[in-house]
Amino acid sequence: MTALRAGLAAATEKLAAAGVPSARFDAEELAAFTLCVERRDLWRHDESAPEFDAYVERRAAREPLQHITGRAYFRDLVLRVGPGVFVPRPETEVVAQAAIDAARRTDSPVVVDLGTGSGAIALAVATEVSGARVHAVEADPGAHEWAVRNCAGSGVDLRVGDMAVAFGDLDGAVDVVVSNPPYIPVGAAIRDPEVAAHDPALSLWSGDDGLDAIRVVEDVAVRLLVPGGVVVVEHADLQGRSAPDVFSRTGRWTDARDHRDLAGRDRYLTATRTGCPRRTR
Ligand SMILES: C[S@@+](CC[C@H](N)C(=O)[O-])C[C@H]1O[C@@H](n2cnc3c(N)ncnc32)[C@H](O)[C@@H]1O
C-alpha cells in the first residue's frame, strides 16, 4: 500500500509523460477502481490499493482506461466494454440525444440503431424514451457479445449481421434510424494508440473517403423509415459537408443538415425521409 496522494501524483506524472491526455483523471479513475469506490469518494481514503501501480503501468502503455476498468460511461449508463468492442465516446452522447429527441416526437416510436457496438445508443434510447421499441444490429460477432451483455433485460431487439440487409421485417415501419458507423478513410493516420491498437478495425475504417458505411446507412434508412421519419448519423469532424451531401444528393430526403458537438465540431447529420409527415405529438 502506498499513500494515496503521493501515489496519485506519481501516477499522474507517469501517465502525462506517456502522452495520456487526461492523466490526472485517469489516475483517479484507476485509484477509485482498485479501491472499489466512486472517484468522488477518493478523498475518504489514505492508501491506494495494491494493484494500483500495475494498472497505472497498463494505462501508461496506452491500454484504454475503459479496457482496464471494464466499464464506459455513456449518458446515464455504465456499459461493459473490453477487447473486441468500440469504446463509446462522449461526442456520441449528442448523437444519441438527437435520436432521443426525434423519437420523443412520436407515440410508441420504433427506433433502429445500425452498428450498435456495445449497444450504447440503442440502450440510451430504450432507457430514455418511454414506450420506444428499439432494434439494433451489429456485424462483428465479438462486439455483438458485449452488446448482448449490456442489453440484457432492456427489451432491445439485438441482432447480429450486416446492416445492409438487416431488418427486412421492419421495412417502411421505423420512425428513427440512428447510426454511429465507421467513418475513417482507409490509410488515414490514427494518432491515439488507444484507438489504433484497441478499437476493432470494423468499427473504424470505411473506404477511400470514409463515407462508404454512411452511404450504406443512407440506403438502409430509406428502406426502413416511414415517410417523414428521421435519420441521425455521426461522422468525422471533417465530413460536415460531405456526409450530409450523401443524403441530399439522392433526392430521397428533405432537410439534410449538419450539427455540431459540444466542442463545436461538425459531428452528425439529420435528414427527413421524403413523403407525408409522420404523426407527431
Ligand atoms: C464507430 S463504431 C460505433 C459503435 C456504437 N454505435 C457506439 O457509438 O459506440 C461502429 C460499429 O459499427 C459496426 N459495423 C461496421 N460495419 C457494419 C455493418 N456493415 N453492419 C453492422 N454493423 C457494422 C462495427 O463493428 C462497430 O461496432
Side-chain angles (χ1 to χ4, degrees), residues 23-267:
R24 178 73 192 188
F25 174 89
D26 286 22
E28 290 181 3
E29 269 290 294
L30 291 173
F33 177 69
T34 50
L35 287 167
C36 299
V37 300
E38 294 298 321
R39 193 167 57 89
R40 64 172 178 269
D41 292 326
L42 270 181
W43 63 274
R44 297 176 190 275
H45 297 262
D46 295 325
E47 306 287 334
S48 61
E51 313 83 30
F52 178 57
D53 288 346
Y55 283 36
V56 171
E57 284 296 336
R58 286 171 62 184
R59 186 69 190 103
R62 304 301 295 269
E63 187 174 340
L65 175 69
Q66 297 86 349
H67 282 199
I68 300 170
T69 62
R71 63 190 183 194
Y73 300 100
F74 187 80
R75 297 178 67 88
D76 291 336
L77 303 165
V78 183
L79 298 160
R80 291 191 228 179
V81 294
V85 72
F86 182 85
V87 174
R89 307 293 206 270
E91 56 266 32
T92 304
E93 292 177 333
V94 298
V95 180
Q97 183 66 55
I100 287 165
D101 291 344
R104 283 182 177 151
R105 293 197 286 270
T106 303
D107 290 318
S108 306
V110 178
V111 180
V112 165
D113 177 16
L114 301 173
T116 197
S118 63
I121 300 175
L123 268 175
V125 175
T127 54
E128 296 185 49
V129 182
S130 68
R133 286 164 288 163
V134 182
H135 308 262
V137 65
E138 170 56 49
D140 183 335
H144 176 259
E145 282 301 309
W146 288 100
V148 167
R149 282 178 214 133
N150 286 318
C151 292
S154 69
V156 173
D157 164 30
L158 189 60
R159 307 187 193 181
V160 63
D162 184 351
M163 66 168 118
V165 293
F167 301 118
D169 52 323
L170 296 176
D171 283 357
V174 175
D175 298 291
V176 178
V177 169
V178 58
S179 184
N180 173 18
Y183 49 65
I184 302 177
V186 170
I190 296 181
R191 201 184 44 225
D192 296 332
E194 291 86 348
V195 179
H198 296 279
D199 278 325
L202 193 60
S203 68
L204 302 176
W205 308 109
S206 191
D208 289 342
D209 60 1
L211 296 169
D212 278 5
I214 289 178
R215 292 187 187 95
V216 174
V217 169
E218 191 274 334
D219 211 42
V220 177
V222 164
R223 170 168 64 79
L224 292 179
L225 286 171
V226 296
V230 172
V231 64
V232 181
V233 188
E234 181 167 330
H235 58 68
D237 53 0
L238 297 176
Q239 296 167 339
R241 296 183 79 142
S242 56
D245 277 357
V246 169
F247 286 71
S248 44
R249 273 198 201 125
T250 64
R252 309 197 281 195
W253 303 89
T254 56
D255 203 20
R257 66 164 98 157
D258 209 58
H259 307 264
R260 293 184 170 172
D261 60 23
L262 297 178
R265 297 195 183 97
D266 292 343
R267 182 55 58 200

